[in-house]
Amino acid sequence: DGNTEKAKQTANEKKKQQKQKKKGNSAAKNEAGDAQKGPGKSASGSPSSKFPDNVQRVIDSLLDSSTPGTLSDRLNADHPHFDKQLRATWKSYSKKERAAIVEADQARLKGLAKQAEAALKPLPFTADDDDHCETAPEAYQDLAPFLRKVAETLGKSPATLKIYDPYYCAGAVVGHLKEAGFPNVYNRCEDFYQVIEKEMVPDHDVLVTNPPYSGEHVEKLLNFCRSNKKPFFLLMPNYFCVKSYYAPSLGPTLAGGMVYLFPQKRYVYWTPKGRRSKDRVQSQHSRAGGNRTSPFVSFWYINTSPAISTESLLSWWRDPATRQALTAEARKSPKSEEKSQKFQTFPTLGRLEELPPAALKDCPSDAVSRTKLPR
């Protein structure tokens, strides 16, 4: 009987050890599940408490698609969604904490990219893959003072200024211009040339566009601007100003009044997810807006006639009072410090020969010297 009792105790101890081993394995599996589910979440989807509250708030914010700005946006002092506190505390986070935040940002990017791709409208026209690029918001921020000046001259507010962008890619221009203070933007998924042919061009005060660069698109656009007789702002690579058709398409009056807004920092562009094949995008530069690209020097081609003459526009932009007003206005915004720093340096506005050498980088020097625009 004693031996039987000992045998029972030994069997019970083995059972307890097996149960404890199973519990250990289960806990390990849950930890692995937590890692696969992403930072800040357990395998069941409930919040994890393995990070301090301030770090967890950043993670939760990035995982919430309704909050604006990716991690890159929030750490970029020039971006509208710059987070000064996050930037200041970033280096104080541990390597593990930063890795968790980056992982949350990657999850956010993938989710937003899938949403954007699913929302893409089929295009009612044939388009070259390389033409699928959206303009970064920084380019519209540079343009905003000029649009406000045109609105003021026309007796309108920025909110009532009617802006027409005839070339559709994924519609990001509407949100970017709204963020810059211009909510009245027409950019529809339609064939611009069919619209012209049917005489259905929408009523507008000013044309703002980053056109497709392939084929005859730019030449056709310049011809339209000539007949449209409205102020226009065209974001294009520097080499178009030395094309043989450039001045003839505009005509002597418009060509002679052209000025160019050259940014302090090179503009980048974003190829929307799903608009270009994967082998034609830079996958290492990806965010919610798509894949980043910046293959050439570009700037705004501007003519504000008949609303504002070229000389008046140049005089206004170069007036120190204009710079002071822009800086003062920037200081009124919630991100005043960052914006006022941005406006300590201004984009260069001038005629072709007045632009800095960097503006005409890679343009053949003989072609530039031959470009004699009438005045």
Side-chain angles (χ1 to χ4, degrees):
D1 289 341
N3 291 335
T4 302
E5 189 65 33
K6 285 182 179 180
K8 285 183 179 179
Q9 289 177 357
T10 302
N12 287 335
E13 287 176 0
K14 285 183 178 180
K15 284 182 180 179
K16 286 181 181 180
Q17 289 174 358
Q18 288 175 348
K19 284 183 179 180
Q20 289 175 351
K21 189 175 181 180
K22 285 181 179 179
K23 284 182 180 179
N25 290 337
S26 177
K29 286 181 179 179
N30 285 336
E31 289 179 3
D34 289 348
Q36 291 178 350
K37 286 288 181 180
K41 296 286 181 178
S42 68
S44 61
S46 60
S48 167
S49 58
K50 61 182 177 180
F51 296 115
D53 288 345
N54 62 329
V55 176
Q56 190 61 49
R57 278 194 295 270
V58 177
I59 292 172
D60 292 341
S61 176
L62 287 168
L63 291 172
D64 181 1
S65 60
S66 66
T67 59
T70 63
L71 179 60
S72 175
D73 298 336
R74 299 178 193 193
L75 292 174
N76 181 0
D78 292 329
H79 198 277
H81 300 311
F82 174 58
D83 187 330
K84 186 177 180 180
Q85 184 177 6
L86 177 61
R87 175 76 171 268
T89 57
W90 179 253
K91 289 185 178 180
S92 68
Y93 297 151
S94 68
K95 186 176 180 180
K96 184 178 179 181
E97 289 167 348
R98 288 199 298 268
I101 293 172
V102 170
E103 189 176 344
D105 184 58
Q106 290 300 314
R108 174 193 182 89
L109 288 171
K110 288 179 181 178
L112 292 175
K114 286 181 179 178
Q115 291 177 17
E117 189 169 348
L120 280 181
K121 299 177 182 178
L123 300 176
F125 49 82
T126 302
D128 189 299
D129 266 9
D130 289 341
D131 286 335
H132 293 309
C133 278
E134 292 277 13
T135 306
E138 291 82 4
Y140 296 112
Q141 295 292 338
D142 282 347
L143 199 62
F146 297 89
L147 293 175
R148 288 196 294 269
K149 183 63 176 176
V150 171
E152 178 189 329
T153 304
L154 295 177
K156 295 194 169 192
S157 68
T160 59
L161 184 71
K162 296 177 183 178
I163 299 175
Y164 179 37
D165 183 347
Y167 292 105
Y168 184 86
C169 180
V173 58
V174 177
H176 292 331
L177 280 171
K178 183 178 181 180
E179 193 173 71
F182 305 91
N184 198 349
V185 181
Y186 186 105
N187 179 238
R188 306 278 177 85
C189 186
E190 58 190 18
D191 187 331
F192 176 38
Y193 307 119
Q194 287 286 322
V195 170
I196 296 174
E197 188 177 332
K198 294 177 181 178
E199 298 182 352
M200 296 179 64
V201 174
D203 182 36
H204 60 283
D205 301 308
V206 59
L207 185 145
V208 177
T209 192
N210 168 22
Y213 306 145
S214 66
E216 299 177 343
H217 290 296
V218 171
E219 186 174 1
K220 288 180 178 180
L221 174 61
L222 296 175
N223 280 305
F224 174 78
C225 290
R226 180 180 184 176
S227 62
N228 192 42
K229 295 180 171 55
K230 297 283 180 71
F232 59 85
F233 301 82
L234 316 178
L235 182 57
M236 303 192 296
N238 57 2
Y239 57 80
F240 278 112
C241 66
V242 296
K243 291 286 188 181
S244 59
Y245 59 74
Y246 178 66
S249 295
L250 287 170
T253 302
L254 283 184
M258 292 299 297
V259 288
Y260 309 87
L261 187 69
F262 180 65
Q264 292 292 326
K265 187 177 180 181
R266 185 165 173 158
Y267 291 142
V268 299
Y269 300 86
W270 297 91
T271 300
K273 299 284 187 180
R275 282 288 191 232
R276 191 183 292 184
S277 57
K278 291 183 179 180
D279 62 334
R280 297 182 67 82
V281 295
Q282 300 180 51
S283 58
Q284 71 272 29
H285 299 301
S286 180
R287 73 175 192 187
N291 298 90
R292 188 181 73 187
T293 181
S294 183
F296 36 64
V297 174
S298 59
F299 45 72
W300 288 102
Y301 291 56
I302 297 175
N303 195 302
T304 53
S305 64
I308 307 171
S309 71
T310 300
E311 293 304 328
S312 296
L313 187 72
L314 287 169
S315 177
W316 164 76
W317 182 247
R318 293 167 179 172
D319 188 341
T322 299
R323 310 299 175 92
Q324 292 171 5
L326 288 173
T327 304
E329 183 181 345
R331 287 181 180 141
K332 295 177 184 177
S333 74
K335 297 184 181 297
S336 58
E337 185 177 337
E338 295 79 33
K339 284 196 173 183
S340 63
Q341 286 176 357
K342 172 181 171 59
F343 281 108
Q344 288 175 5
T345 55
F346 294 83
T348 300
L349 180 73
R351 298 181 185 275
L352 193 62
E353 64 272 18
E354 296 170 331
L355 297 182
L360 297 172
K361 181 182 178 183
D362 299 327
C363 285
S365 56
D366 58 333
V368 174
S369 63
R370 287 199 308 269
T371 306
K372 302 290 186 181
L373 300 182
R375 296 191 184 181

